[in-house]
Amino acid sequence: MTREGKTRASAGSKRARTEDVSASEAPRMPPAEANSDILAIILREVTALKVAISAQQNLSYQQQHLSNQVASINDTLLSIVNTQRHLSIQVQGLANRHKKFYTRLQDLPIEIIGQIFAWIPVQTVFKYRRLSRTINERLLSTEFAVLNLHLPDFVTKSKRKIGGLWLVLPESYQTVIARAVTSRVETVNCSKSIIKKRIPKSISCLTAVQEIWLNDSTLSGAIPDAFGALNNLTTLSLRCNSLTGELPSSFSLLSGLRFLDLSFNQLSGEFPAMPSTNALETIFIGKNRFTGPIPTIFGDPHKLISLFAEDNFFSVIPSSVGRLTSLEFLKISGNPIASEIPSEIWNLAALRCLDMHSCQMLGSLAGMGALRNLVELDVSNNEFSGRLPSREIYNMQSLQELHLIQNQFSGSEGKMLDISRTSLMSMCADPDFQRDHVKGVLQCHIPHDWAPRTEHLSDSDSEHEQEPESDGESDSDSDSDSEFE
């Protein structure tokens, strides 16, 4: 072999050894399973990193929110400090440098007066109204009423009732309280209390009220036109007060009213029609000064059971009385009716008591036998005449009391009225009629010394009724001072 050939062979041998060494030193590729594990680890690390970043962002947000709250609190504190500084400067400006105390009470700022007296219970705070005119005006303001309001003083959750304290307070207080308890109060009750006030107009705010009992409460003045909003009202009693004037038109809107008692007042004018009162069962309006026809117009006349309208100035029994087919008690005595009994009354078959004494009524009692359920009939002190319908009385098996005294009956159907053939337990008639036309004697324990009311309202009475309510300071001062002292 030549030298050149040997050289080429040696070079080739070296190249081969180099390639073998390179091949042996090159890294081996991992299998596919190892790659999956590595990727899973990487994904977990990435997820953990994202969670950490999100937590960091939330923490930053909370820190910013807390920072804002702290800034707001600092602003509030600064405002309070400034207000206190302002009030302090005002107080210092009132100082009398020659004395140790602040003697110019009437010059106190309204804000200070409110803060001082707001802590005094409402039952006693009005005693301080006489200290100065400024204090008086502040204590009567609506703003102070809101500041001094403490609802447990007026109404409790368990009873849902408001009482007399509300009624004796000044009007500003009444309004604030009524608005605060508008949906809570179901009963207003201060019967037999010394109120010496008018019915507050703010009573219209008590829209949830169902019963109002204000009888014997020394209330005076006109009834406010404020009842129309009381859609839930079922009972209204204003008995035995000194209420005057006409009934407000809003009474006709009381669709749920079942019981109405206005007796023993000085109410006047015609009793209004009440076409929306579909549930009314009982009416007491006796001992007033109502005029015109006896009320018979109601939303559902068949619901009415009792109508007591005695001792007024009613002058007419309208024929519509015949629509009151469920009426059991009708008392219209002491009214100057001066007419015959309308035949429609004999259609009231459910009647148990019919009292028409002292009404100047005339004519006869013919037709009374249709009242088969009648227990008591009083027609005494009238001008009834003609023959007593004895045969009809015999057929009235429920009749127990019959009062005929002070009339002009000329006789009885048949020769005599035989009491033994009746169910009567009490009867009275004029002595001559008793002797000549009644067989048998029964005692009567009811005094019959009534006189019909024929007088009219004098001019002075009318002026007194129409006297406007004073809104001056002296009136409210005297009321509240007397109430809380």
Side-chain angles (χ1 to χ4, degrees), residues 87-106:
L87 292 177
S88 177
I89 293 172
Q90 284 187 309
V91 172
Q92 291 175 2
L94 296 174
N96 187 334
R97 293 180 175 84
H98 302 290
K99 294 185 179 181
K100 294 182 179 180
F101 303 101
Y102 300 117
T103 57
R104 297 163 57 186
L105 190 61
Q106 67 273 17

Side-chain angles (χ1 to χ4, degrees), residues 280-330:
L280 198 57
E281 298 176 353
T282 302
I283 302 179
F284 290 92
I285 54 174
K287 304 290 184 179
N288 278 287
R289 299 182 176 185
F290 289 118
T291 58
I294 290 173
T296 57
I297 306 300
F298 307 101
D300 188 351
H302 307 296
K303 288 286 186 69
L304 195 65
I305 297 175
S306 303
L307 174 56
F308 294 81
E310 74 281 5
D311 296 318
N312 278 279
F313 293 94
F314 291 120
S315 56
V316 177
I317 304 176
S319 60
S320 55
V321 70
R323 300 176 58 199
L324 308 178
T325 55
S326 299
L327 200 63
E328 298 181 11
F329 300 90
L330 177 59

Side-chain angles (χ1 to χ4, degrees), residues 63-81:
Q63 289 176 342
Q64 181 64 34
H65 181 65
L66 289 175
S67 178
N68 292 337
Q69 286 186 323
V70 170
S72 177
I73 292 173
N74 288 335
D75 292 341
T76 302
L77 291 174
L78 182 60
S79 176
I80 293 174
V81 170

Side-chain angles (χ1 to χ4, degrees), residues 2-288:
T2 65
R3 182 178 295 179
E4 183 179 356
K6 291 179 179 180
T7 300
R8 291 179 179 174
S10 175
S13 176
K14 289 181 180 180
R15 217 171 21 253
R17 286 196 299 271
T18 301
E19 292 175 357
D20 292 339
V21 172
S22 299
S24 63
E25 292 179 358
R28 297 180 179 178
M29 294 300 293
E33 184 177 347
N35 291 336
S36 298
D37 294 339
I38 293 171
L39 289 174
I41 293 172
I42 294 172
L43 289 175
R44 284 196 296 270
E45 293 296 331
V46 171
T47 302
L49 184 59
K50 288 182 178 180
V51 171
I53 293 172
S54 177
Q56 182 66 30
Q57 290 176 344
N58 289 336
L59 181 60
S60 299
Y61 173 77
Q62 292 177 355
Q63 289 176 342
Q64 181 64 34
H65 181 65
L66 289 175
S67 178
N68 292 337
Q69 286 186 323
V70 170
S72 177
I73 292 173
N74 288 335
D75 292 341
T76 302
L77 291 174
L78 182 60
S79 176
I80 293 174
V81 170
N82 290 335
T83 301
Q84 290 175 338
R85 184 180 296 111
H86 174 69
L87 292 177
S88 177
I89 293 172
Q90 284 187 309
V91 172
Q92 291 175 2
L94 296 174
N96 187 334
R97 293 180 175 84
H98 302 290
K99 294 185 179 181
K100 294 182 179 180
F101 303 101
Y102 300 117
T103 57
R104 297 163 57 186
L105 190 61
Q106 67 273 17
D107 295 327
L108 281 173
I110 290 179
E111 297 87 351
I112 294 178
I113 294 175
Q115 293 297 327
I116 292 174
F117 290 97
W119 298 98
I120 302 177
V122 66
Q123 293 89 334
T124 57
V125 70
F126 291 101
K127 290 183 177 180
Y128 301 96
R129 289 175 54 192
R130 293 174 176 169
L131 292 177
S132 74
R133 182 176 297 274
T134 302
I135 291 176
N136 177 62
E137 292 175 355
R138 180 59 176 173
L139 297 186
L140 291 179
S141 67
T142 301
E143 293 79 7
F144 181 79
V146 174
L147 192 63
N148 190 235
L149 180 63
H150 185 230
L151 285 182
D153 291 339
F154 305 97
V155 61
T156 58
K157 292 182 179 179
S158 58
K159 294 184 178 180
R160 299 179 68 84
K161 180 176 69 174
I162 195 168
L165 178 59
W166 171 62
L167 285 170
V168 300
L169 292 175
E171 184 177 356
S172 57
Y173 262 77
Q174 292 173 341
T175 302
V176 168
I177 295 165
R179 289 175 178 173
V181 301
T182 180
S183 60
R184 304 185 191 183
V185 172
E186 295 179 354
T187 302
V188 176
N189 190 342
C190 61
S191 299
K192 299 182 179 179
S193 302
I194 301 177
I195 304 298
K196 294 184 179 180
K197 285 270 192 174
R198 297 172 182 255
I199 300 175
K201 297 178 182 179
S202 56
I203 200 169
S204 62
C205 298
L206 305 178
T207 54
V209 72
Q210 299 176 13
E211 299 181 0
I212 297 178
W213 299 94
L214 298 179
N215 38 295
D216 296 282
S217 299
T218 62
L219 295 170
S220 61
I223 299 176
D225 195 8
F227 288 86
L230 307 183
N231 296 325
N232 297 304
L233 190 64
T234 61
T235 301
L236 176 59
S237 179
L238 304 176
R239 174 187 176 92
C240 294
N241 285 289
S242 299
L243 300 173
T244 59
E246 299 183 1
L247 286 186
S249 58
S250 59
F251 266 53
S252 63
L253 302 177
L254 299 175
S255 58
L257 193 65
R258 298 177 60 185
F259 178 91
L260 176 63
D261 191 348
L262 304 174
S263 56
F264 293 91
N265 281 285
Q266 301 173 32
L267 299 170
S268 59
E270 292 193 8
F271 195 92
M274 304 178 72
S276 299
T277 53
N278 297 315
L280 198 57
E281 298 176 353
T282 302
I283 302 179
F284 290 92
I285 54 174
K287 304 290 184 179
N288 278 287

Side-chain angles (χ1 to χ4, degrees), residues 382 424 449 479:
N382 280 289
L424 292 174
D449 53 355
D479 286 345

